[in-house]
């Protein structure tokens, strides 16, 4: 394996056979488990809209999660490179999926709303500008075929 290649492996196991398999659209469950070596089991399903279990992770949430995690990790790396000390980071990511008349669908866009707190207020402007560099470095965002928007902001310090 080349040093610039990294391979990942997961296992998906469908657990939604209610006895008659996929004999009809509403006859089967969408439940499944996702596993990877050394990781806890992730319980998945379809979105409730598509007859899934709302108490389990669905692919749409997981895609948005992967995007938000990747941006955060890329941002923290970029912050270090530029000498910005981030002491808190949170994000509420949103995404829009559209359905087509033929039953297919795709994400139309996603928007990340990262909020950060920096140790030195003098670095706030630089810290906000670093989201663009982080976006260009994020492996997941670079792999998507829909626009990813960013609406970064600063967190107000709280005193616990």
């Amino acid at each position: 394996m080349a040093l610039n290649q990294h391979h990942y492996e997961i296992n998906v196991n469908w657990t939604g056979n209610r006895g008659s398999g996929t004999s009809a659209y509403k006859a089967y469950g969408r439940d499944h488990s996702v596993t990877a070596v050394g990781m806890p089991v992730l319980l998945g399903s379809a979105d409730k809209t598509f007859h899934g279990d709302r108490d389990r992770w669905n692919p749409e949430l997981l895609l948005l999660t992967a995007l938000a995690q990747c941006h955060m990790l890329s941002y923290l790396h970029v912050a270090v490179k530029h000498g910005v000390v981030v002491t808190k980071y949170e994000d509420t990511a949103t995404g829009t999926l559209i359905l087509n008349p033929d039953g297919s669908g795709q994400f139309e866009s996603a928007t990340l709303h990262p909020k950060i707190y920096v140790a030195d207020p003098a670095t706030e402007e630089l810290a906000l500008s670093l989201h663009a560099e982080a976006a260009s470095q994020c492996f997941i965002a670079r792999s998507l075929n829909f626009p990813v928007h960013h609406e970064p902001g600063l967190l107000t310090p709280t005193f616990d």
Side-chain angles (χ1 to χ4, degrees):
M1 178 170 70
L3 291 177
N4 65 343
Q5 289 183 343
H6 301 272
H7 298 272
Y8 302 91
E9 181 178 314
I10 58 98
N11 295 294
V12 176
N13 181 31
W14 175 52
T15 58
N17 185 347
R18 295 179 179 151
S20 61
T22 58
S23 60
Y25 185 67
K26 291 187 179 181
Y28 66 95
R30 277 60 174 177
D31 291 359
H32 57 274
S33 62
V34 181
T35 58
V37 173
M39 301 300 297
V41 175
L42 176 70
L43 299 179
S45 189
D47 184 281
K48 181 69 175 161
T49 303
F50 308 114
H51 305 285
D53 182 342
R54 70 175 41 157
D55 294 328
R56 291 174 171 239
W57 287 91
N58 64 58
E60 296 81 11
L61 289 173
L62 290 169
L63 176 67
L64 200 55
T65 299
L67 175 62
Q69 285 178 294
C70 185
H71 181 82
M72 177 191 71
L73 294 168
S74 297
Y75 180 81
L76 296 174
H77 173 74
V78 169
V80 169
K81 282 183 15 182
H82 289 273
V84 173
V85 178
V86 177
T87 58
K88 189 171 183 178
Y89 183 110
E90 53 190 54
D91 191 357
T92 303
T94 58
T96 302
L97 179 124
I98 57 171
L99 296 178
N100 300 313
D102 66 359
S104 66
Q106 66 274 342
F107 268 81
E108 182 176 61
S109 67
T111 303
L112 304 180
H113 302 92
K115 302 286 186 273
I116 56 160
Y117 185 75
V118 293
D120 181 359
T123 64
E124 288 178 349
E125 189 174 320
L126 172 60
L128 287 173
S129 74
L130 295 178
H131 284 283
E133 184 177 341
S136 73
Q137 297 294 312
C138 172
F139 306 147
I140 302 298
R142 292 174 57 89
S143 302
L144 300 174
N145 70 350
F146 58 83
V148 177
H149 308 287
H150 301 87
E151 296 178 1
L154 298 169
L155 289 169
T156 305
T158 57
F159 304 97
D160 298 328

